[in-house]
């Protein structure tokens, strides 16, 4: 009789003891078992690592959006089209002469007949001016003739230059000049050659008091002009012997011995040798 109340008091004192302890028959209680404290901690620890989102990357701000205080010290380009000093290539990176402008070279083209004639005329004019300048350097020996040439006189002389030989005949006249039956300006097309042929007459002052007739052969026109000058100077010395010192001083009475040098055996020209080969 004393055991029953004690059992009831014990049941009231420990509530939920029936669920914690198995029945007398050994079956678990109807209430589900609570998870152990270790299991939720493992799940919670794994979950944030797998699902934790990465922080978003902040976009870089361009240099133009920097505050005015930072960009105040940077120099701005003079014009909007020019590049800033930072963008310009460095001088050491460029090859020497890269800043120079290339020179445009025009391709050579064949000259037309008109252009060739114009160039030849310019060369003749240049040669004429040079000959006139050379003739003007030396003053004339006489302003006029000192000896009158007889009307029936016929003075002959021979002049030479290179391979050319000229036979000159002087007569009293008014300044006519013929070479092989042609006028002087027709036979010698260049002004400097005509000046060379008439040089002794201009020096002595007999250019308008005698007529000159010449027969010349051999050589070219340049050598023939020198031969005519030599012959005319010799003929003037026959008319007036006092002209000899002055004409000789100017070199008009001396035969010009310069001529083309002959070719030698084993050479291409007078002195040009073939290329030497060591092996």
């Amino acid at each position: 009789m004393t055991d029953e109340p004690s059992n009831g008091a014990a049941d009231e004192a420990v509530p939920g003891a029936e669920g914690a302890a198995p029945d007398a028959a050994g079956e678990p209680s109807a209430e589900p078992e609570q998870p152990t404290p270790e299991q939720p901690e493992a799940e919670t620890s794994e979950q944030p690592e797998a699902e934790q989102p990465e922080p978003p990357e902040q976009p870089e701000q361009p240099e133009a959006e920097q505050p005015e205080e930072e960009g105040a010290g940077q120099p701005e380009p003079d014009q909007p089209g020019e590049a800033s000093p930072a963008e310009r290539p460095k001088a050491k990176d460029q090859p020497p002469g890269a800043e120079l402008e290339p020179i445009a070279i025009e391709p050579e083209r064949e000259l037309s007949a008109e252009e060739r004639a114009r160039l030849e005329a310019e060369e003749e004019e240049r040669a004429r001016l040079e000959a006139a300048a050379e003739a003007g350097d030396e003053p004339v020996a006489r302003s006029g003739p000192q000896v009158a040439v007889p009307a029936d006189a016929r003075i002959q002389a021979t002049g030479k230059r290179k391979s050319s030989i000229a036979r000159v005949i002087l007569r009293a006249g008014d300044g006519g000049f013929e070479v092989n039956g042609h006028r002087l300006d027709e036979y010698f097309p260049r002004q400097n050659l005509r000046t060379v042929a008439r040089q002794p007459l201009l020096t002595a002052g007999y250019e308008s008091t005698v007529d000159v007739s010449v027969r010349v052969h051999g050589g070219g026109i340049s050598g023939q002009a020198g031969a005519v000058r030599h012959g005319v100077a010799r003929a003037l010395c026959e008319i007036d012997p006092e002209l000899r010192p002055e004409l000789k001083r100017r070199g008009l009475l001396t035969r010009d011995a310069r001529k083309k040098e002959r070719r030698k055996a084993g050479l291409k020209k007078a002195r040009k040798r073939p290329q030497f080969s060591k092996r």
Side-chain angles (χ1 to χ4, degrees), residues 56-231:
E57 297 181 359
Q58 296 181 359
E60 298 181 359
Q61 297 181 357
E63 298 179 357
E65 297 181 0
Q66 293 180 356
E68 296 180 358
E69 297 179 358
E70 296 179 359
Q74 298 180 358
E76 297 181 356
D78 299 337
Q79 297 180 0
E82 296 181 358
S84 61
E87 297 177 358
R88 295 174 183 172
K90 298 181 180 179
K92 63 180 181 180
D93 298 339
Q94 296 181 354
E99 68 279 0
L100 302 178
E101 297 181 358
I103 300 175
I105 301 177
E106 298 181 357
E108 296 183 359
R109 59 183 182 86
E110 187 178 356
L111 299 178
S112 61
E114 296 180 357
E115 292 176 345
R116 286 197 299 269
R118 179 175 55 82
L119 292 177
E120 291 177 0
E122 291 178 356
E123 292 178 359
E124 291 180 2
E125 182 67 17
R126 190 182 303 108
R128 182 184 66 81
L129 295 176
E130 292 177 358
E134 292 178 359
D137 294 341
E138 290 284 344
V140 296
R142 293 178 180 177
S143 58
Q146 300 294 325
V147 177
V149 181
D152 57 347
R154 188 171 181 268
I155 297 95
Q156 297 182 358
T158 302
K160 295 181 180 180
R161 169 77 171 97
K162 292 185 180 180
S163 305
S164 303
I165 300 174
R167 293 174 175 86
V168 180
I169 299 174
L170 295 184
R171 298 186 183 93
D174 55 356
F177 207 117
E178 288 186 359
V179 180
N180 291 348
H182 300 277
R183 292 186 304 173
L184 181 66
D185 55 352
E186 293 178 356
Y187 192 82
F188 293 116
R190 300 178 185 174
Q191 177 64 31
N192 61 329
L193 298 180
R194 294 195 290 267
T195 304
V196 167
R198 295 177 60 89
Q199 186 176 0
L201 297 174
L202 298 175
T203 302
Y206 283 84
E207 69 273 7
S208 59
T209 58
V210 296
D211 290 342
V212 182
S213 177
V214 182
R215 299 292 295 178
V216 61
H217 67 276
I221 57 175
S222 178
Q224 290 181 359
V228 171
R229 179 182 67 176
H230 189 214

Side-chain angles (χ1 to χ4, degrees), residues 35-52:
T36 58
E38 296 177 358
Q39 184 176 0
E41 290 180 2
E43 293 178 358
T44 54
S45 61
E46 293 176 359
Q47 184 177 1
E49 291 179 2
E51 298 180 0
Q52 184 176 3

